[in-house]
Amino acid sequence: MNVIVERIAKFMRNAWRIGADDPAKVVHCLKVGLALSLVSIFYYMRPLYDGVGGNAMWAIMTVVVVFESNVGATFSKCVNRVVATILAGSLGIAVHWVATQSGKAEIFVIGCSVFLFAFAATYSRFVPSFKARFDYGAMIFILTFSLVSVGGYRVDKLVDMAQQRVSTIAIGTSICIFITVFFCPIWAGTQLHRLVQRNFVKLADSLDGCVAEYLKKKDVEKNGIEDEETNMKLQGFKCVLNSKGTEESMANLARWEPAHGSFNFRHPWQQYVKIGAAMRRCAYCLENLSICMNYEAEAPDQVKNHFGEACLKLSSASSKILRELADMMNNTRKSSKMDFLVFDMNSAVQELQETLKTVPVRTNNAKEDGTMTMSLHEVLPVATLVSLLIENAARIQT
Amino acid sequence: MNVIVERIAKFMRNAWRIGADDPAKVVHCLKVGLALSLVSIFYYMRPLYDGVGGNAMWAIMTVVVVFESNVGATFSKCVNRVVATILAGSLGIAVHWVATQSGKAEIFVIGCSVFLFAFAATYSRFVPSFKARFDYGAMIFILTFSLVSVGGYRVDKLVDMAQQRVSTIAIGTSICIFITVFFCPIWAGTQLHRLVQRNFVKLADSLDGCVAEYLKKKDVEKNGIEDEETNMKLQGFKCVLNSKGTEESMANLARWEPAHGSFNFRHPWQQYVKIGAAMRRCAYCLENLSICMNYEAEAPDQVKNHFGEACLKLSSASSKILRELADMMNNTRKSSKMDFLVFDMNSAVQELQETLKTVPVRTNNAKEDGTMTMSLHEVLPVATLVSLLIENAARIQT
């Protein structure tokens, strides 16, 4: 009994934290409630109810299924649903007409066509380029087609029914679009933009943290609370590693959205995916660096001292660039400081290479060199990142 | 016009390749067609149709929405749908009863309860632990609850309707389960197992390929076709990097599946996720190694010769372990050769470390050392992997 209570309590605490961290989620839930209440009005008002002939159920269903947390997803589902319903509905009516003309073979014709279209539509859902945009539409197509063609066998006023159903779906989708766009809209594009920007900051924090942690002397006393905080920062790059899926789906959804804020309709969302990929390359380096940190055998202190300064300089130059990039994204224009920072970083790289050449032979330890080369490797992805972002910023400005 | 034809042709070629690569997908599509044809029988047979009072539509809808390509996903959706429908249906009837008792406040009571439950159910979909298993159930809950409580305002025989709907859904789900399990079943567990095993082989190929490519002399003539093939192998680790999401969802779905093949009901699927994480750590190292390969400045040939042998030995020892692990997964039991191979790898590491110490000072080049330390770093994840898999194999045996 106690275990169950504890579990529920844990679940509730968890749920509360999610809401506190991101109030947009709570807003979304309120919007769902509002949309459903609005759609229920169709049931309560007799003239409206009679107008759609008891098919008002489909409006409720549309709202429940189509309403998503950001505008892009809702738009894409609405368009998918309406287009697929109309397409499948007219096809279903056509098949039904052919079937009635064919007399005794009616059931056979309907059965075969359902089988064939279901097969084709299900198959198309496996093609990645189609799936990314029309997955939901294909499902609605199968559903509507079978309902209309099979259902037509029993229902007499097929065209009336189809018409009513399309109008209820139109009511449902328009309520959804109205509420998502006009009540505290949550844009997929803005979320993507913020996600990428936050990832830049996280990368910079992790980079600083990892290098500092590695070079830190063992005998320094540790403060518990502080340690946890730095640990959080060190783990920041893990978020970057795992954000691939989110970025791709967001970029896909953002394409459906109309112009909002500082984003135009044809904002180059695919660029964000590329930036994300470049950031993930940086994060791989950090992952390896953190594996180095956990090595059982540590590099001796004198090696650390030898490299320490150059290393810190390089990492701080790199992280400054990352932070500047985050700022640039915030203002969506090119920063004038950028060239200067890139120059700084390049000179730090040179310095580190000089230091490497003067390393005393004895202490030429694999692990230590590991860190250095890591830092060097970070330069390459960062450079890619910079060029990508400069291009991106240029596009935004035009 | 030509552009459109070309696009369609490209799409068709693409679709054909997908089917040829994985016949299981074609089988799935055939199964969907079959299930829909079966469920249409309810429309054609008058006694069956009358038995469910024209609600046969819900059986079709259930089949379309619930039928997924693997058994685990279909099971989970069926369970979610049935449980959520029954729960929401009874709750909806209760709310409807309370509303009718309250006289004039009827609409108010129904409206508020719809708002509240929709809010709570939508919110629960944001809690990750809940979402992983009951996301679909929460949606069906909202849908059924609003349909029953709001619809009850207009429909007189509410209990009859609810009963018919539950029975049609039961018919739909049982047809789905019957077809997924008995016609060429596609198990999420088996797919996960194969995915992990294939990833081991890909990692081993990439490791061999990357190290060989790096040490290869520039002046060797390249054969075009061969080159493409090696390139494919080199990119193998990218699949490993991107398979995190698939692995997690598969492991989640596999839990719903009954015992099949050599897997028991409580097979430790979560272990696969851990193995996947360990493999991804290896893949990060390979990613960095391949960044090294693309460096503009190459290490001079004499350095390569100096390290070449030790490096190749280590990489072949590591990849042998990876291949052995793939074999072990194939036979689902512990291999006797494993200890021997691990010993081999460890000695190769030692040898490489020795070679590193004797490196001539002049050629102490950051990039070159990079490769070495990479190889060293690969050892750590591989060791983790080994211990995990040995544990896993032990569990399978018991």
Side-chain angles (χ1 to χ4, degrees):
Chain A
M1 192 59 206
N2 260 341
V3 177
I4 295 171
V5 170
E6 210 166 279
R7 277 198 145 187
I8 292 175
K10 197 181 155 201
F11 182 83
M12 292 311 255
R13 269 201 304 276
N14 213 340
W16 179 261
R17 218 182 40 241
I18 286 166
D21 283 355
D22 188 0
K25 284 174 180 166
V26 182
V27 171
H28 168 62
C29 298
L30 290 174
K31 278 157 74 181
V32 172
L34 187 64
L36 272 178
S37 310
L38 259 184
V39 102
S40 322
I41 291 177
F42 281 89
Y43 262 88
Y44 305 141
M45 295 201 187
R46 184 155 282 282
L48 286 174
Y49 183 79
D50 292 342
V52 294
N55 268 317
M57 185 194 94
W58 287 92
I60 294 185
M61 198 176 282
T62 305
V63 170
V64 172
V65 176
V66 152
F67 209 99
E68 292 279 335
S69 63
N70 57 59
V71 180
T74 311
F75 260 51
S76 108
K77 276 200 162 180
C78 284
V79 172
N80 265 307
R81 184 165 190 119
V82 171
V83 172
T85 304
I86 291 171
L87 210 71
S90 33
L91 209 62
I93 289 173
V95 165
H96 179 71
W97 183 81
V98 171
T100 47
Q101 297 298 309
S102 59
K104 276 189 181 172
E106 185 176 351
I107 291 178
F108 182 74
V109 170
I110 292 178
C112 281
S113 65
V114 166
F115 185 87
L116 277 179
F117 279 106
F119 177 83
T122 312
Y123 194 80
S124 71
R125 291 174 76 184
F126 283 119
V127 182
S129 60
F130 187 87
K131 185 185 169 68
R133 284 200 245 174
F134 307 115
D135 189 46
Y136 182 68
M139 200 177 79
I140 293 295
F141 178 87
I142 304 176
L143 179 61
T144 311
F145 181 76
S146 1
L147 283 184
V148 171
S149 63
V150 176
Y153 188 66
R154 291 284 174 202
V155 178
D156 304 319
K157 292 179 179 172
L158 193 60
V159 178
D160 271 12
M161 192 188 79
Q163 203 188 339
Q164 282 168 357
R165 205 157 290 176
V166 168
S167 60
T168 44
I169 287 176
I171 291 167
T173 49
S174 45
I175 287 177
C176 283
I177 290 177
F178 178 78
I179 289 182
T180 37
V181 174
F182 293 103
F183 289 80
C184 322
I186 302 163
W187 303 97
T190 316
Q191 282 188 312
L192 176 61
H193 192 83
R194 264 195 226 131
L195 175 74
V196 171
Q197 193 193 327
R198 231 180 301 130
N199 279 350
F200 272 123
V201 177
K202 275 183 190 164
L203 263 187
D205 284 347
S206 296
L207 176 59
D208 280 350
C210 276
V211 173
E213 182 83 0
Y214 187 80
L215 295 170
K216 198 168 70 183
K217 277 167 192 139
K218 277 274 161 174
D219 45 36
V220 177
E221 288 240 345
K222 278 181 183 173
N223 186 334
I225 303 162
E226 210 178 87
D227 203 50
E228 199 160 285
E229 205 171 277
T230 44
N231 222 5
M232 278 281 289
K233 276 194 181 172
L234 289 186
Q235 300 300 315
F237 68 89
K238 297 235 161 119
C239 302
V240 181
L241 287 179
N242 296 337
S243 60
K244 181 181 159 69
T246 323
E247 276 165 20
E248 277 174 5
S249 65
M250 289 278 201
N252 241 327
L253 294 173
R255 284 198 294 183
W256 293 89
E257 291 178 350
H260 60 276
S262 49
F263 307 112
N264 297 323
F265 176 58
R266 289 195 168 281
H267 193 75
W269 297 114
Q270 285 305 314
Q271 291 287 319
Y272 286 81
V273 177
K274 283 187 200 158
I275 295 172
M279 277 205 279
R280 236 161 287 125
R281 297 194 120 196
C282 292
Y284 296 149
C285 294
L286 281 175
E287 165 82 25
N288 282 5
L289 195 59
S290 77
I291 293 178
C292 282
M293 272 168 50
N294 297 328
Y295 250 111
E296 52 269 35
E298 276 258 350
D301 270 355
Q302 77 261 35
V303 184
K304 284 192 182 178
N305 290 337
H306 183 79
F307 286 117
E309 207 184 331
C311 254
L312 276 179
K313 211 177 248 176
L314 176 55
S315 80
S316 79
S318 308
S319 68
K320 253 183 212 151
I321 288 187
L322 288 171
R323 275 181 239 275
E324 185 64 26
L325 286 173
D327 258 20
M328 239 165 84
M329 288 201 69
N330 213 5
N331 310 323
T332 54
R333 60 196 162 78
K334 206 175 153 181
S335 157
S336 50
K337 279 198 288 181
M338 208 60 209
D339 294 335
F340 186 65
L341 285 172
V342 173
F343 177 77
D344 254 20
M345 186 180 72
N346 284 335
S347 65
V349 172
Q350 297 256 310
E351 195 174 317
L352 184 58
Q353 268 172 331
E354 291 302 317
T355 328
L356 265 174
K357 280 183 190 152
T358 62
V359 65
V361 189
R362 282 287 176 81
T363 52
N364 179 13
N365 181 311
K367 280 130 213 168
E368 182 51 23
D369 281 6
T371 335
M372 305 307 119
T373 37
M374 292 308 166
S375 305
L376 276 178
H377 295 159
E378 272 145 27
V379 175
L380 194 71
V382 168
T384 325
L385 211 58
V386 170
S387 63
L388 260 174
L389 251 183
I390 288 171
E391 191 189 331
N392 191 26
R395 286 203 196 179
I396 294 168
Q397 284 178 314
T398 54
Chain B
M1 191 61 204
N2 261 341
V3 177
I4 294 173
V5 170
E6 210 167 279
R7 276 198 147 190
I8 292 175
K10 197 183 156 200
F11 183 83
M12 292 312 254
R13 269 201 305 277
N14 213 341
W16 180 261
R17 219 186 37 242
I18 286 166
D21 283 355
D22 189 0
K25 284 174 180 166
V26 182
V27 171
H28 168 61
C29 298
L30 290 174
K31 278 157 76 181
V32 171
L34 188 65
L36 272 179
S37 310
L38 259 183
V39 100
S40 322
I41 291 176
F42 281 89
Y43 263 87
Y44 305 141
M45 295 201 188
R46 183 156 283 280
L48 285 174
Y49 184 79
D50 292 342
V52 293
N55 268 317
M57 185 195 94
W58 286 92
I60 294 185
M61 198 175 282
T62 305
V63 170
V64 172
V65 177
V66 152
F67 210 98
E68 291 279 335
S69 63
N70 58 59
V71 180
T74 312
F75 260 52
S76 110
K77 275 200 162 178
C78 284
V79 171
N80 265 305
R81 184 164 190 120
V82 170
V83 171
T85 304
I86 291 172
L87 210 70
S90 33
L91 208 61
I93 290 173
V95 165
H96 179 70
W97 184 81
V98 170
T100 46
Q101 296 298 309
S102 59
K104 278 188 181 171
E106 186 175 351
I107 291 177
F108 183 74
V109 169
I110 292 178
C112 281
S113 64
V114 166
F115 185 87
L116 278 179
F117 279 107
F119 177 82
T122 312
Y123 195 80
S124 71
R125 291 174 76 183
F126 283 120
V127 182
S129 60
F130 187 87
K131 185 183 169 69
R133 284 201 245 174
F134 307 115
D135 189 47
Y136 181 68
M139 199 179 78
I140 293 296
F141 178 87
I142 304 177
L143 178 62
T144 311
F145 180 77
S146 9
L147 282 184
V148 171
S149 63
V150 176
Y153 187 67
R154 291 283 174 202
V155 179
D156 304 320
K157 290 179 180 174
L158 192 60
V159 178
D160 273 13
M161 193 189 78
Q163 204 188 338
Q164 282 168 358
R165 206 158 287 177
V166 169
S167 59
T168 43
I169 288 177
I171 291 167
T173 49
S174 44
I175 286 178
C176 283
I177 291 178
F178 178 78
I179 289 182
T180 38
V181 175
F182 292 104
F183 288 80
C184 323
I186 302 163
W187 303 97
T190 315
Q191 281 187 311
L192 176 61
H193 192 82
R194 266 196 223 130
L195 175 73
V196 171
Q197 192 193 329
R198 231 181 300 131
N199 279 350
F200 272 121
V201 177
K202 274 182 190 163
L203 263 188
D205 284 347
S206 297
L207 177 59
D208 279 351
C210 277
V211 174
E213 184 83 0
Y214 187 81
L215 295 170
K216 199 168 70 183
K217 276 166 192 139
K218 277 272 161 175
D219 45 36
V220 177
E221 289 239 348
K222 278 181 184 174
N223 186 334
I225 303 163
E226 209 178 88
D227 204 49
E228 198 161 285
E229 204 172 277
T230 43
N231 221 6
M232 278 280 289
K233 277 194 180 173
L234 289 186
Q235 299 300 314
F237 69 90
K238 296 234 161 119
C239 301
V240 181
L241 286 180
N242 297 336
S243 60
K244 181 180 157 70
T246 323
E247 275 166 20
E248 276 173 7
S249 66
M250 289 278 200
N252 241 326
L253 294 173
R255 284 198 293 184
W256 293 88
E257 290 179 351
H260 60 276
S262 51
F263 307 112
N264 296 323
F265 177 57
R266 289 195 168 280
H267 194 76
W269 297 114
Q270 285 306 314
Q271 292 288 319
Y272 286 81
V273 177
K274 283 188 200 158
I275 295 172
M279 278 205 279
R280 235 160 288 125
R281 298 194 117 195
C282 292
Y284 295 149
C285 294
L286 281 174
E287 165 82 25
N288 282 6
L289 195 59
S290 75
I291 293 178
C292 282
M293 272 169 49
N294 297 328
Y295 250 112
E296 52 269 36
E298 276 257 352
D301 269 356
Q302 78 261 35
V303 184
K304 283 192 182 179
N305 289 338
H306 184 81
F307 286 116
E309 206 186 330
C311 254
L312 277 178
K313 212 178 245 175
L314 176 55
S315 80
S316 78
S318 306
S319 68
K320 253 184 211 151
I321 287 187
L322 289 170
R323 275 182 237 275
E324 185 64 26
L325 287 173
D327 258 21
M328 239 166 83
M329 288 200 69
N330 213 2
N331 310 323
T332 54
R333 60 196 160 78
K334 208 176 153 182
S335 157
S336 50
K337 280 199 285 181
M338 208 61 208
D339 294 335
F340 186 65
L341 285 171
V342 172
F343 176 78
D344 255 20
M345 186 180 72
N346 285 335
S347 64
V349 172
Q350 296 257 311
E351 195 174 317
L352 184 59
Q353 268 172 331
E354 291 301 317
T355 328
L356 265 174
K357 279 182 191 155
T358 62
V359 65
V361 189
R362 284 285 177 79
T363 52
N364 180 13
N365 181 311
K367 280 130 214 167
E368 181 53 20
D369 282 5
T371 336
M372 305 306 119
T373 36
M374 293 307 167
S375 305
L376 276 177
H377 295 158
E378 271 145 27
V379 176
L380 195 70
V382 168
T384 325
L385 209 59
V386 171
S387 64
L388 260 174
L389 251 183
I390 287 170
E391 191 189 330
N392 190 26
R395 285 202 196 181
I396 294 167
Q397 284 178 313
T398 53

